[in-house]
Amino acid sequence: LTIRARGNLSIYENDLIVAAVEQRVLDAQREHGDFHAIYATSKAAAARDGSEPEDVIGSVQVEFVDWFNLQAKGYAATDVMDEMREAMSDIPGIQVELAKPEAGPPQGKAVQVEVSATDVEDINAGVKHILAGLEEIGGYTDIEDGLPLPGIDWELKVDREQAAIYGVDIAILGYYVRLVTDGVKISTYRPADSEDEVDIVLRFPPQYRSLSQLDELRVASAKGQVPLSQFLTREPKPK
């Protein structure tokens, strides 16, 4: 079961969502006893590879009991999967896809359409047209597309003229922004029990890591403490 959800979710929120799906599987196991093993995994954005959609937040893997045991009950694994798909359909805000392991080749979903064009906008329009066609035809499940996820990015613009007037280095402004976001790398450390170095990063406590904090910060300049907003403006842009 591949679990997909959209939004600016933390790893803890992802874990709660995956746990909710896992609980449905455990409930089904207690009722029917169809599974031999259940293994759930939640993941952060950094843990994803390029082979899966950006909105995948986790998965639940199940191993069925012996086929003869299912046959004795009068149904097949596909029947169990249909029941599970229906059981997951009412969890709000997420999409759960069910698939059997692939022995390959071919691999991937039964129907795959690749769209190419010289203009990205034409690709997006073509994919949307195909999705509408699949919806009109009907009979498809677990439809997945490669369109960029909806959302916004905040673009920060530096007023270089103002920075020059106040004698503020542009790089310093970048450090202030990073203190509020991903942090400033100040050194590295290699633990005694590891071969890899660990970054030492400096940033504000969680309660001060927000866009509004940029309006509260003050920068040391040749003319004293000046609000960071004196040099920075932010604009929302499509993601």
Side-chain angles (χ1 to χ4, degrees):
L1 296 83
T2 302
I3 305 159
R4 301 166 61 181
R6 295 182 178 183
N8 189 23
L9 303 172
S10 69
I11 55 174
Y12 306 106
E13 291 169 317
N14 288 350
D15 202 43
L16 288 173
I17 294 172
V18 173
V21 174
E22 181 188 21
Q23 188 59 52
R24 296 285 179 97
V25 178
L26 292 171
D27 292 342
Q29 167 65 8
R30 278 192 286 268
E31 183 175 353
H32 302 293
D34 298 324
F35 309 129
H36 172 68
I38 301 170
Y39 182 75
T41 308
S42 61
K43 57 181 71 178
R48 303 180 190 128
D49 55 35
S51 64
E52 58 187 15
E54 294 181 38
D55 55 358
V56 172
I57 63 167
S59 64
V60 178
Q61 297 174 324
V62 299
E63 181 181 339
F64 286 101
V65 295
D66 191 276
W67 178 79
F68 293 102
N69 294 336
L70 290 178
Q71 187 185 42
K73 296 180 181 180
Y75 54 78
T78 51
D79 299 323
V80 180
M81 291 176 65
D82 290 339
E83 291 178 6
M84 290 176 64
R85 181 177 282 108
E86 184 177 351
M88 305 298 168
S89 62
D90 63 343
I91 303 178
I94 69 170
Q95 182 178 352
V96 180
E97 296 183 358
L98 282 83
K100 294 182 293 183
E102 298 173 348
Q107 291 189 341
K109 299 191 176 180
V111 178
Q112 301 182 51
V113 181
E114 184 174 318
V115 182
S116 61
T118 54
D119 190 336
V120 174
E121 294 303 322
D122 291 340
I123 293 178
N124 293 346
V127 171
K128 291 176 182 176
H129 181 73
I130 293 171
L131 290 172
L134 294 175
E135 191 70 30
E136 183 178 346
I137 295 171
Y140 296 98
T141 60
D142 299 336
I143 298 176
E144 173 190 320
D145 63 75
L147 291 172
L149 297 182
I152 63 169
D153 283 333
W154 288 98
E155 184 178 280
L156 299 178
K157 294 185 176 181
V158 180
D159 189 332
R160 294 178 178 272
E161 183 177 344
Q162 283 291 316
I165 292 174
Y166 284 89
V168 175
D169 188 350
I170 301 297
I172 296 296
L173 298 178
Y175 285 132
Y176 275 86
V177 173
R178 286 159 64 186
L179 286 172
V180 177
T181 54
D182 292 336
V184 179
K185 178 181 174 181
I186 57 176
S187 184
T188 58
Y189 168 71
R190 186 169 68 86
D193 59 347
S194 174
E195 296 182 358
D196 300 320
E197 291 185 335
V198 177
D199 291 341
I200 300 176
V201 178
L202 180 68
R203 62 176 177 170
F204 290 145
Q207 63 268 31
Y208 298 118
R209 293 200 296 263
S210 64
L211 279 174
S212 60
Q213 187 65 27
L214 293 175
D215 300 326
E216 305 295 330
L217 293 177
R218 292 184 172 272
V219 181
S221 72
K223 299 184 179 182
Q225 298 289 325
V226 183
L228 186 64
S229 56
Q230 182 80 19
F231 314 106
L232 288 180
T233 56
R234 59 179 182 265
E235 296 180 4
K237 298 287 184 179
K239 191 172 183 180

Short mmCIF file of all heavy atoms in Angstrom, two decimals, residues 1-30:
data_model
loop_
_atom_site.label_atom_id
_atom_site.label_comp_id
_atom_site.label_asym_id
_atom_site.label_seq_id
_atom_site.Cartn_x
_atom_site.Cartn_y
_atom_site.Cartn_z
N LEU A 1 0.86 -1.17 0.00
CA LEU A 1 0.00 0.00 0.00
C LEU A 1 0.90 1.23 0.00
O LEU A 1 1.69 1.43 0.91
CB LEU A 1 -0.90 0.03 1.24
CG LEU A 1 -1.94 -1.07 1.41
CD1 LEU A 1 -1.30 -2.31 2.03
CD2 LEU A 1 -3.08 -0.61 2.30
N THR A 2 0.78 2.05 -1.04
CA THR A 2 1.53 3.30 -1.13
C THR A 2 0.62 4.44 -0.71
O THR A 2 -0.48 4.59 -1.23
CB THR A 2 2.03 3.54 -2.57
OG1 THR A 2 2.85 2.43 -2.97
CG2 THR A 2 2.84 4.82 -2.65
N ILE A 3 1.09 5.25 0.24
CA ILE A 3 0.26 6.31 0.83
C ILE A 3 0.73 7.66 0.31
O ILE A 3 1.92 7.99 0.41
CB ILE A 3 0.35 6.26 2.36
CG1 ILE A 3 -0.02 4.87 2.86
CG2 ILE A 3 -0.55 7.31 2.99
CD1 ILE A 3 0.50 4.55 4.24
N ARG A 4 -0.20 8.42 -0.24
CA ARG A 4 0.13 9.73 -0.80
C ARG A 4 -0.69 10.81 -0.10
O ARG A 4 -1.88 10.63 0.15
CB ARG A 4 -0.12 9.75 -2.30
CG ARG A 4 0.69 8.71 -3.05
CD ARG A 4 0.20 8.49 -4.47
NE ARG A 4 0.29 9.69 -5.28
CZ ARG A 4 -0.10 9.75 -6.55
NH1 ARG A 4 -0.60 8.67 -7.13
NH2 ARG A 4 0.02 10.87 -7.22
N ALA A 5 -0.05 11.93 0.22
CA ALA A 5 -0.73 13.07 0.85
C ALA A 5 -0.01 14.33 0.44
O ALA A 5 1.22 14.34 0.27
CB ALA A 5 -0.74 12.92 2.37
N ARG A 6 -0.76 15.40 0.29
CA ARG A 6 -0.16 16.66 -0.13
C ARG A 6 -0.27 17.70 0.97
O ARG A 6 -1.21 17.71 1.75
CB ARG A 6 -0.86 17.18 -1.40
CG ARG A 6 -0.64 16.26 -2.60
CD ARG A 6 -1.28 16.79 -3.86
NE ARG A 6 -1.00 15.91 -4.99
CZ ARG A 6 -1.40 16.15 -6.23
NH1 ARG A 6 -2.09 17.24 -6.50
NH2 ARG A 6 -1.10 15.30 -7.20
N GLY A 7 0.72 18.58 1.00
CA GLY A 7 0.73 19.63 2.02
C GLY A 7 2.11 19.72 2.65
O GLY A 7 2.96 18.84 2.48
N ASN A 8 2.30 20.76 3.40
CA ASN A 8 3.60 20.98 4.05
C ASN A 8 3.62 20.19 5.36
O ASN A 8 3.56 20.74 6.45
CB ASN A 8 3.79 22.48 4.31
CG ASN A 8 5.18 22.79 4.78
OD1 ASN A 8 6.12 22.03 4.54
ND2 ASN A 8 5.33 23.90 5.47
N LEU A 9 3.73 18.87 5.23
CA LEU A 9 3.62 17.99 6.39
C LEU A 9 5.00 17.71 6.99
O LEU A 9 5.98 17.55 6.27
CB LEU A 9 2.98 16.66 5.98
CG LEU A 9 1.59 16.74 5.34
CD1 LEU A 9 1.16 15.39 4.82
CD2 LEU A 9 0.58 17.28 6.33
N SER A 10 5.03 17.64 8.30
CA SER A 10 6.27 17.28 8.99
C SER A 10 6.41 15.76 9.00
O SER A 10 5.46 15.02 8.69
CB SER A 10 6.28 17.81 10.42
OG SER A 10 5.33 17.10 11.21
N ILE A 11 7.59 15.28 9.38
CA ILE A 11 7.79 13.83 9.45
C ILE A 11 6.87 13.21 10.50
O ILE A 11 6.46 12.06 10.37
CB ILE A 11 9.26 13.49 9.76
CG1 ILE A 11 9.75 14.18 11.03
CG2 ILE A 11 10.16 13.84 8.60
CD1 ILE A 11 11.14 13.77 11.46
N TYR A 12 6.54 13.97 11.54
CA TYR A 12 5.66 13.45 12.59
C TYR A 12 4.22 13.32 12.08
O TYR A 12 3.52 12.36 12.40
CB TYR A 12 5.70 14.37 13.81
CG TYR A 12 7.11 14.61 14.31
CD1 TYR A 12 7.75 15.82 14.09
CD2 TYR A 12 7.82 13.60 14.96
CE1 TYR A 12 9.06 16.03 14.52
CE2 TYR A 12 9.12 13.80 15.40
CZ TYR A 12 9.73 15.03 15.17
OH TYR A 12 11.02 15.22 15.58
N GLU A 13 3.78 14.29 11.27
CA GLU A 13 2.44 14.21 10.69
C GLU A 13 2.37 13.06 9.68
O GLU A 13 1.36 12.33 9.62
CB GLU A 13 2.09 15.54 10.02
CG GLU A 13 1.88 16.67 11.02
CD GLU A 13 1.80 18.02 10.35
OE1 GLU A 13 2.61 18.29 9.45
OE2 GLU A 13 0.94 18.83 10.75
N ASN A 14 3.42 12.90 8.88
CA ASN A 14 3.47 11.76 7.96
C ASN A 14 3.33 10.44 8.72
O ASN A 14 2.62 9.53 8.31
CB ASN A 14 4.79 11.76 7.19
CG ASN A 14 4.87 12.86 6.15
OD1 ASN A 14 3.87 13.52 5.86
ND2 ASN A 14 6.04 13.06 5.59
N ASP A 15 4.03 10.35 9.85
CA ASP A 15 4.02 9.12 10.63
C ASP A 15 2.63 8.84 11.18
O ASP A 15 2.19 7.68 11.22
CB ASP A 15 5.03 9.25 11.78
CG ASP A 15 5.48 7.90 12.31
OD1 ASP A 15 5.74 7.00 11.49
OD2 ASP A 15 5.54 7.73 13.54
N LEU A 16 1.91 9.87 11.61
CA LEU A 16 0.55 9.68 12.13
C LEU A 16 -0.39 9.18 11.04
O LEU A 16 -1.25 8.32 11.29
CB LEU A 16 0.03 10.99 12.72
CG LEU A 16 0.65 11.44 14.05
CD1 LEU A 16 0.18 12.84 14.41
CD2 LEU A 16 0.29 10.46 15.16
N ILE A 17 -0.23 9.71 9.83
CA ILE A 17 -1.09 9.29 8.72
C ILE A 17 -0.81 7.83 8.37
O ILE A 17 -1.74 7.03 8.17
CB ILE A 17 -0.87 10.21 7.49
CG1 ILE A 17 -1.33 11.63 7.80
CG2 ILE A 17 -1.61 9.66 6.28
CD1 ILE A 17 -0.98 12.64 6.73
N VAL A 18 0.46 7.49 8.27
CA VAL A 18 0.82 6.10 7.95
C VAL A 18 0.32 5.16 9.05
O VAL A 18 -0.17 4.06 8.76
CB VAL A 18 2.35 5.97 7.78
CG1 VAL A 18 2.74 4.50 7.63
CG2 VAL A 18 2.83 6.77 6.58
N ALA A 19 0.41 5.61 10.31
CA ALA A 19 -0.07 4.78 11.42
C ALA A 19 -1.58 4.54 11.32
O ALA A 19 -2.07 3.46 11.67
CB ALA A 19 0.27 5.44 12.76
N ALA A 20 -2.33 5.54 10.82
CA ALA A 20 -3.78 5.38 10.66
C ALA A 20 -4.09 4.31 9.61
O ALA A 20 -5.01 3.50 9.78
CB ALA A 20 -4.41 6.71 10.27
N VAL A 21 -3.32 4.32 8.51
CA VAL A 21 -3.51 3.30 7.48
C VAL A 21 -3.11 1.93 8.03
O VAL A 21 -3.80 0.93 7.82
CB VAL A 21 -2.68 3.64 6.23
CG1 VAL A 21 -2.76 2.51 5.21
CG2 VAL A 21 -3.16 4.95 5.62
N GLU A 22 -2.00 1.89 8.74
CA GLU A 22 -1.54 0.63 9.33
C GLU A 22 -2.58 0.06 10.28
O GLU A 22 -2.81 -1.17 10.31
CB GLU A 22 -0.23 0.86 10.07
CG GLU A 22 0.36 -0.40 10.70
CD GLU A 22 1.55 -0.09 11.59
OE1 GLU A 22 1.69 1.07 12.03
OE2 GLU A 22 2.34 -1.01 11.85
N GLN A 23 -3.26 0.93 11.03
CA GLN A 23 -4.27 0.46 11.97
C GLN A 23 -5.44 -0.21 11.23
O GLN A 23 -5.98 -1.21 11.71
CB GLN A 23 -4.78 1.63 12.81
CG GLN A 23 -5.70 1.21 13.94
CD GLN A 23 -5.04 0.25 14.91
OE1 GLN A 23 -3.94 0.52 15.40
NE2 GLN A 23 -5.68 -0.88 15.18
N ARG A 24 -5.80 0.33 10.07
CA ARG A 24 -6.87 -0.29 9.28
C ARG A 24 -6.46 -1.71 8.85
O ARG A 24 -7.28 -2.63 8.86
CB ARG A 24 -7.18 0.56 8.05
CG ARG A 24 -7.74 1.95 8.34
CD ARG A 24 -9.17 1.91 8.78
NE ARG A 24 -9.70 3.23 9.07
CZ ARG A 24 -10.41 3.96 8.23
NH1 ARG A 24 -10.67 3.51 7.00
NH2 ARG A 24 -10.87 5.15 8.57
N VAL A 25 -5.18 -1.83 8.48
CA VAL A 25 -4.68 -3.15 8.08
C VAL A 25 -4.70 -4.11 9.27
O VAL A 25 -5.09 -5.27 9.14
CB VAL A 25 -3.25 -3.04 7.50
CG1 VAL A 25 -2.71 -4.43 7.13
CG2 VAL A 25 -3.24 -2.14 6.27
N LEU A 26 -4.29 -3.62 10.43
CA LEU A 26 -4.29 -4.45 11.64
C LEU A 26 -5.71 -4.86 12.02
O LEU A 26 -5.94 -6.00 12.45
CB LEU A 26 -3.63 -3.70 12.79
CG LEU A 26 -2.12 -3.44 12.66
CD1 LEU A 26 -1.64 -2.50 13.76
CD2 LEU A 26 -1.36 -4.75 12.71
N ASP A 27 -6.66 -3.95 11.85
CA ASP A 27 -8.06 -4.28 12.13
C ASP A 27 -8.54 -5.39 11.21
O ASP A 27 -9.25 -6.31 11.64
CB ASP A 27 -8.93 -3.03 11.97
CG ASP A 27 -8.66 -1.98 13.04
OD1 ASP A 27 -8.08 -2.34 14.07
OD2 ASP A 27 -9.03 -0.81 12.82
N ALA A 28 -8.15 -5.30 9.92
CA ALA A 28 -8.55 -6.34 8.97
C ALA A 28 -7.90 -7.68 9.32
O ALA A 28 -8.53 -8.74 9.18
CB ALA A 28 -8.14 -5.92 7.55
N GLN A 29 -6.66 -7.62 9.81
CA GLN A 29 -5.97 -8.84 10.20
C GLN A 29 -6.67 -9.51 11.37
O GLN A 29 -6.85 -10.73 11.41
CB GLN A 29 -4.51 -8.51 10.55
CG GLN A 29 -3.74 -9.61 11.27
CD GLN A 29 -3.55 -10.85 10.41
OE1 GLN A 29 -3.87 -10.85 9.22
NE2 GLN A 29 -3.05 -11.92 11.02
N ARG A 30 -7.09 -8.70 12.35
CA ARG A 30 -7.77 -9.27 13.52
C ARG A 30 -9.11 -9.89 13.14
O ARG A 30 -9.55 -10.87 13.74
CB ARG A 30 -7.96 -8.18 14.58
CG ARG A 30 -6.73 -7.95 15.45
CD ARG A 30 -7.06 -7.09 16.64
NE ARG A 30 -7.24 -5.71 16.26
CZ ARG A 30 -6.25 -4.79 16.26
NH1 ARG A 30 -5.03 -5.15 16.60
NH2 ARG A 30 -6.48 -3.56 15.92
#
